[in-house]
Amino acid sequence: MTVLVGYVPSLLGEAALAAAVEQARFRDEPVLVVNTSRGDAYVDPRLAQEPDLNRVVRELTAAGVPHTVRQLIRGRDAAEEIVEIVEAEDVSLVVIGIRHRTPVGKLIMGSTAQEILLRVRCPVLAVKAPEAD
């Protein structure tokens, strides 16, 4: 079994990564870090750059957690990619970061987190980034 974490290079992604490491240690399982982008924009703040991914690998190695990192740029949204991985592999838990949005904002814009929560067949741990002081 594996703990999958949807990672973005932000405070939200860092919170999700920290929770995934904690869960992986508790469950004695490896972590699969997934970073995705549709690849349809010149600049995508959700796409981790090489220094970001190198730092993630260093953190996981220092934590002593077995890990794999996948960066997918295949024209699909993050929810589709994560759902496909969960269906194809032995994932015990999905960890995602969620941000505060109004109910109207979620209704109009939808939500990657909401899509993941509705579609995956394993438990999902949704974490929030710590409040800025």
Side-chain angles (χ1 to χ4, degrees), residues 41-45:
Y42 287 115
V43 177
D44 183 352

Side-chain angles (χ1 to χ4, degrees), residues 23-99:
Q23 286 296 314
R25 284 181 169 160
F26 176 75
R27 296 163 180 265
D28 195 26
E29 296 176 357
V31 171
L32 171 57
V33 178
V34 178
N35 176 250
T36 72
S37 174
R38 286 181 181 253
D40 59 355
Y42 287 115
V43 177
D44 183 352
R46 296 173 304 248
L47 182 65
Q49 301 302 309
E50 189 174 343
D52 300 316
L53 295 176
N54 289 340
R55 187 183 41 71
V56 167
V57 168
R58 282 193 309 273
E59 285 180 25
L60 291 167
T61 301
V65 176
H67 57 276
T68 305
V69 177
R70 288 190 202 164
Q71 188 170 54
L72 307 170
I73 306 170
R74 304 189 299 193
R76 299 165 48 187
D77 68 25
E80 288 176 289
E81 297 287 8
I82 288 172
V83 168
E84 182 179 288
I85 292 169
V86 169
E87 289 174 353
E89 298 184 24
D90 200 12
V91 174
S92 64
L93 177 71
V94 174
V95 182
I96 56 173
I98 59 170
R99 60 190 164 138

Side-chain angles (χ1 to χ4, degrees), residues 8-25:
V8 292
S10 68
L11 290 176
L12 200 55
E14 296 305 319
L17 183 64
V21 167
E22 184 177 307
Q23 286 296 314
R25 284 181 169 160

